[in-house]
């Protein structure tokens, strides 16, 4: 199954951002991809001061929902719509919409682990304006294929990936926007770690780097295979990262190095409330 | 706190193996180390056909226990005695003895996740002869310092490291013997992943590589800091890997990138039976 990560440049114009996303999804479909992934915060500059202004409800009649649903349907392609600031009941969430190839919203993942950082060069606390989600739910694509979606800082938490794997996912998708501190330190490492721990593919989709932005994204969108090898990656500029996911590799990897069947379900378990 | 990994060559003579371990611990103490780590299976060639013959009970009067207890006491050094095949109630375990600097056995970790592999070049199933342990227990060194010990394939399981971290450990120690397939693929990756996921130091101690052995160890013993940087490592030959662990780095790292305080204890929990 061919997949495309759309490492798009995100600017100040919400309309232009949505239009860019739509065009990149159309191009992904033309190249034969069955699934396109957009980055975290693809309709909005990444920053707490922007989230309210750019937020929308995730339902028909709202511009981001309508545009992505339409392009998914018209191009018969699944779309993991990175994330946008979601407005719901007077709260804001950092949320990813997952549309199937008929344009139906199959799932919303609300970022569970809100991002905080406090270094000399980067400071940010999403919790100042965002509320956190509480749920992990694998999405079924048909033909027995399931995947899990989580957002950026969520990748720091191996128990969330573990939860998805225990539900039978074949790949994990993380729209994310690591920065110039955590990007070089941990972007590839965590992607490869989640892939190897759970013996499945991992897709990480970043915005392109905008050095004029307050928060500068690392880029380097990446697709990792179940052995932890980087199948495809990018530099920091606006581009695609495409790969063919050979899902049979999962079973083969698990037979060779039986991590998954060695889980000691009798000794410990993960409880999701 | 200075620590030493003793990447020792393990041969067919149990007596020579124990003697080598003792000498390497004495040297570690002379260099000022407060803790010495031995590799997995340091008194016995690594292989299911050897485990019974080389096994011992982990108590006074048995040669490995007595030798390591004595050298720890005489040199006032903590010793994580990698692992040996443990005989207990007619069963065999792959077990690590942890001695304090007075030579007292503080803890035994029995490998929880028995190793299996089935590739073209490496085949092994510890479960053919070994029983598995069921418990994780952090060890207190005094001065508020705790650490966790797990063995080789145990590092594949992020929930075990998570359990230790949740008990307040400052470092995780994995005596291990990755091979020529999994070594280049995953040895450094999993070490760095467990360090970054749990924001603490990780110590991995391998036997030196013996290309005449049926099972050829990767070597590359390694000490990783809480940011995932490799502080010290080795090639494949018999040698030491020493490092100074600056434990204040843990708190600093956790303030800068607050992974640990961001755990959603309200949403999920790990239950140890």
């Amino acid at each position: 199954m061919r997949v495309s990560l759309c490492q798009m440049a995100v600017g100040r114009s919400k309309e232009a951002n949505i239009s860019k996303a739509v065009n990149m999804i159309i191009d992904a479909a033309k190249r034969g991809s069955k699934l396109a992934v957009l980055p975290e915060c693809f309709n909005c500059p990444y920053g707490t001061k922007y989230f309210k202004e750019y937020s929308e409800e995730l339902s028909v009649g709202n511009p981001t929902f309508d545009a992505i649903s339409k392009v998914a349907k018209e191009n018969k392609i699944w779309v993991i719509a990175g994330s946008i600031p979601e407005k719901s009941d007077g709260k804001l969430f950092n949320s990813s919409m997952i549309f199937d190839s008929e344009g139906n919203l199959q799932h919303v993942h609300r970022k569970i682990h809100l991002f905080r950082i406090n270094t000399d060069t980067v400071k940010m606390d999403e919790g100042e304006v965002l509320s956190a989600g509480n749920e992990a739910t694998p999405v079924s694509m048909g033909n027995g294929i399931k995947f899990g979606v989580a957002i950026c800082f969520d990748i720091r938490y191996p128990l969330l990936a573990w939860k998805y794997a225990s539900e039978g996912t074949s790949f994990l998708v993380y729209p994310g926007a690591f920065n110039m501190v955590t990007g070089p330190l941990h972007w590839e490492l965590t992607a490869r770690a989640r892939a190897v721990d759970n013996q499945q593919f991992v897709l990480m989709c970043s915005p392109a780097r905008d050095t004029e932005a307050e928060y500068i994204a690392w880029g380097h969108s990446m697709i990792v295979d179940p052995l932890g090898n980087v199948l495809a990656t990018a530099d920091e500029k606006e581009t695609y990262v495409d790969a063919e996911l050979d899902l049979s590799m999962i079973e083969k990897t698990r037979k060779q190095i039986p991590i998954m069947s060695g889980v000691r379900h009798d000794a410990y378990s993960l409880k999701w409330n």
Side-chain angles (χ1 to χ4, degrees), chain A:
Chain A
M1 182 177 64
R2 190 180 177 88
V3 299
S4 291
L5 314 182
C6 304
Q7 183 169 293
M8 58 178 275
V10 176
R12 290 289 179 92
S13 162
K14 184 174 170 180
E15 194 181 349
N17 291 334
I18 294 172
S19 175
K20 171 77 66 71
V22 164
N23 288 330
M24 288 188 86
I25 292 164
I26 292 169
D27 277 355
K30 281 184 184 161
R31 293 197 307 283
S33 287
K34 300 298 176 204
L35 174 78
V37 183
L38 300 175
E40 184 180 24
C41 255
F42 72 91
N43 78 354
C44 165
Y46 185 73
T48 48
K49 67 179 174 186
Y50 300 110
F51 292 159
K52 187 173 179 189
E53 177 190 345
Y54 287 73
S55 66
E56 291 179 23
E57 294 182 3
L58 306 185
S59 54
V60 174
N62 295 287
T64 310
F65 182 102
D66 287 353
I68 306 300
S69 171
K70 181 166 177 277
V71 72
K73 182 177 182 178
E74 288 181 354
N75 294 275
K76 301 192 192 328
I77 186 169
W78 280 71
V79 178
I80 297 171
S83 78
I84 69 167
E86 175 197 0
K87 181 164 36 181
S88 176
D89 292 334
K91 292 180 183 172
L92 296 175
F93 299 89
N94 185 341
S95 302
S96 184
M97 295 184 279
I98 294 100
F99 292 96
D100 66 22
S101 55
E102 293 173 359
N104 300 310
L105 184 68
Q106 282 283 347
H107 182 56
V108 171
H109 175 76
R110 288 174 168 168
K111 192 173 189 172
I112 296 170
H113 303 90
L114 296 180
F115 177 55
R116 284 188 295 151
I117 187 165
N118 183 24
T119 72
D120 293 342
T121 52
V122 189
K123 293 181 199 307
M124 162 72 88
D125 182 354
E126 287 187 325
E128 290 172 358
V129 296
L130 297 181
S131 299
N134 299 307
E135 285 174 43
T137 313
V139 182
S140 292
M141 282 189 89
N143 298 321
I145 303 171
K146 284 186 187 179
F147 61 86
V149 176
I151 301 170
C152 204
F153 209 58
D154 281 340
I155 201 173
R156 298 289 196 173
Y157 296 85
L159 274 64
L160 176 53
W162 182 274
K163 166 70 175 167
Y164 280 128
S166 71
E167 299 275 355
T169 54
S170 294
F171 57 96
L172 303 171
V173 185
Y174 295 95
F178 275 38
N179 53 66
M180 301 301 286
V181 172
T182 59
L185 278 171
H186 298 153
W187 175 259
E188 179 173 326
L189 175 67
T190 50
R192 295 180 62 217
R194 297 295 86 87
V196 168
D197 288 346
N198 301 288
Q199 303 193 299
Q200 55 194 267
F201 294 89
V202 165
L203 285 57
M204 307 263 281
C205 186
S206 172
R209 189 178 301 166
D210 173 4
T211 54
E212 304 296 309
E214 286 108 310
Y215 182 94
I216 304 175
W218 173 239
H220 293 270
S221 295
M222 186 172 284
I223 300 173
V224 182
D225 77 16
L227 277 174
N229 299 307
V230 177
L231 275 184
T233 187
D235 58 13
E236 76 285 1
K237 298 181 200 71
E238 184 166 275
T239 187
Y240 294 98
V241 176
D242 284 15
E244 189 72 31
L245 306 187
D246 173 8
L247 298 179
S248 72
M249 193 188 162
I250 298 169
E251 195 55 32
K252 192 177 166 200
T253 302
R254 291 177 177 188
K255 276 186 183 160
Q256 292 182 328
I257 310 175
I259 298 173
M260 292 295 110
S261 58
V263 175
R264 293 292 308 277
H265 297 288
D266 58 323
Y268 51 75
S269 55
L270 176 61
K271 185 171 172 294
W272 207 273
N273 301 327

